Amino acid sequence: MLEPPGKPITSLYVHVPFCAQKCSYCAFFSEASSGDLINRYVSALIRELELLAPDLRPGTVFFGGGTPSILNLRQWEEILSAMQRLNLLGSAEWTVECNPATVSLDKAKLLKDSGVNRISMGVQSLNEDLLNRLGRVHSREMAFKSWDILRRAGFNNLNLDLMFAIPGQTLDVWRDTLIEATALQSEHISSYEVIYEEDTPLFHQMKAVQVDVNEDLACAMYEELVDHATRAGLVQYEVANFARDRSEAPTDLLTDRGWTVPLPSHACLHNVNYWRGGSFHGAGPSATSYVRGVRTKNWSNTALYCEQLEQGRRAIESTEILSPLARAGETAAFGLRMPAGWPFEDFLRITGHDLRDEWASDLRELTSNGWGHIDERRFHLTRRGLRFADAAAQLFLR
Ligand SMILES: C[S@@+](CC[C@H](N)C(=O)[O-])C[C@H]1O[C@@H](n2cnc3c(N)ncnc32)[C@H](O)[C@@H]1O
Ligand code: SF4
């Protein structure tokens, strides 16, 4: 279902491309911060928001990175007052990603008072040795301290990012992190298996065979994650995402977007929009947008990004118009990352294609190997299939 031209887009992603220091595994576009470039970026970002604002009425906003919490109070104030001027405040869900090393009570309160109502904190591990190995800039103590600051600032919707299958991590060490992390009673946990991204220090260590990749251990860790999170009262609603369900009244966003799949009350609606094939605007270097079937990507170069916006135009590096079938295939693949899978009627309404026709043999293959389950209403991956969701997703791409 494509948003018609007159109807503004309801989802905004903002990329903040700076970090205090680069982690050894990370391929997100970000660089160690420098004061002047950050100031220049803030002005360019405001210019880009001005260009996007006429086509935006945000229901969800997500500031990701990089490390959005690295911006100082003055830089945040500039962005927030521009958003107020442009009518971009007041979204139902507004997430800001934080690194424990750059959280302060002043900043947390400013964000809270401005309408940010969800914080996602990258912790990765609560084991000091692993944090060092990953090149994280913070200690485990700092993670706990920042967590307390966020709670004191009044945030009641917090996410913790964790990683597993980290080189050197045993099952016992992972279990200890899960026990300590769930004891924090976060409303949400995201946890991904380490990906060896090309051109990262971790990738080069792996290539030089300094790192063991143990698939069985990674599987055991994933099982442990699902069990721990479930025992802690979190509901899995995506391969790597778990949220508390306090059965609060659903926001209008759910009905507006026509999602019929069940979601725990603290699911990240911004991310659900990606998995359901919705449109979104992206601002900032390297950000992608997907608007009415057209995908664009901004330059992954902060100086170039600033230069373009200083000249009054968007800093778009590439534009791709997907065929309706290719788009439907991607939407199928993303949506299957959710245990709820795809109700056939939803998929047809959103994409114009019937999952049971175009992908009939793929559905058969996945059900016969135990990765998928089909009934008259929907198709979804099983617990085993979710573990291999990336491989299953490949089948749907056209
Ligand atoms: C942009 S970062 C989160 C916020 C902040 N930059 C931080 O790291 O503290 C998004 C998340 O992606 C995950 N991530 C990044 N690179 C990864 C990789 N190579 N493999 C698995 N997970 C990764 C991490 O859990 C990370 O917290
Ligand atoms: S994981 Fe987060 S803090 Fe580390 S380099 Fe990537 S974006 Fe920066």
Side-chain angles (χ1 to χ4, degrees), residues 7-198:
K7 195 169 175 243
I9 301 301
T10 57
S11 178
L12 169 66
Y13 173 77
V14 175
H15 192 79
V16 181
F18 304 103
C19 292
Q21 110 190 354
K22 198 73 200 169
C23 305
S24 67
Y25 54 87
C26 180
F28 283 96
F29 176 66
S30 69
E31 53 198 326
S33 52
S34 93
D36 286 349
L37 190 59
I38 300 186
N39 286 333
R40 196 174 165 205
Y41 156 83
V42 168
S43 304
L45 174 68
I46 291 171
R47 186 76 197 102
E48 191 177 25
L49 293 176
E50 286 167 355
L51 297 174
L52 291 175
D55 191 34
L56 265 174
R57 189 160 311 130
T60 66
V61 176
F62 196 108
F63 274 67
T67 306
S69 56
I70 208 166
L71 302 178
N72 63 30
L73 277 178
R74 188 188 47 72
Q75 290 157 341
W76 267 114
E77 276 161 358
E78 266 186 60
I79 294 171
L80 295 167
S81 79
M83 287 177 71
Q84 179 167 38
R85 171 170 58 83
L86 296 168
N87 232 344
L88 298 176
L89 297 184
S91 53
E93 179 190 280
W94 184 353
T95 304
V96 171
E97 279 186 343
C98 291
N99 179 295
T102 48
V103 171
S104 72
L105 190 57
D106 285 353
K107 222 183 278 180
K109 280 185 171 161
L110 172 70
L111 295 178
K112 181 82 181 42
D113 291 345
S114 307
V116 174
N117 54 14
R118 185 172 184 273
I119 297 284
S120 174
M121 191 162 85
V123 169
Q124 321 313 345
S125 173
L126 288 167
N127 178 283
E128 204 71 63
D129 291 341
L130 291 182
L131 288 174
N132 285 331
R133 181 150 197 181
L134 293 172
R136 297 288 295 174
V137 68
H138 60 88
S139 62
R140 60 175 255 122
E141 283 319 307
M142 235 184 256
F144 290 118
K145 205 170 139 230
S146 297
W147 188 261
D148 286 344
I149 290 176
L150 294 171
R151 285 294 195 211
R152 262 194 285 145
F155 285 103
N156 59 7
N157 193 1
L158 295 182
N159 171 57
L160 265 179
D161 275 345
L162 299 173
M163 296 198 314
F164 63 93
I166 302 168
Q169 188 182 35
T170 62
L171 195 54
D172 281 344
V173 167
W174 174 227
R175 222 174 260 138
D176 288 346
T177 286
L178 282 171
I179 291 168
E180 287 193 290
T182 47
L184 288 172
Q185 307 253 347
S186 64
E187 283 71 29
H188 197 286
I189 286 182
S190 296
S191 182
Y192 291 91
E193 177 177 346
V194 166
I195 301 166
Y196 290 88
E197 301 276 7
E198 256 181 74

Side-chain angles (χ1 to χ4, degrees), residues 336-355:
L336 288 176
R337 299 182 61 84
M338 301 179 75
W342 272 115
F344 299 119
E345 289 306 318
D346 282 11
F347 189 77
L348 186 60
R349 182 169 36 79
I350 291 170
T351 68
H353 288 268
D354 194 325
L355 202 58

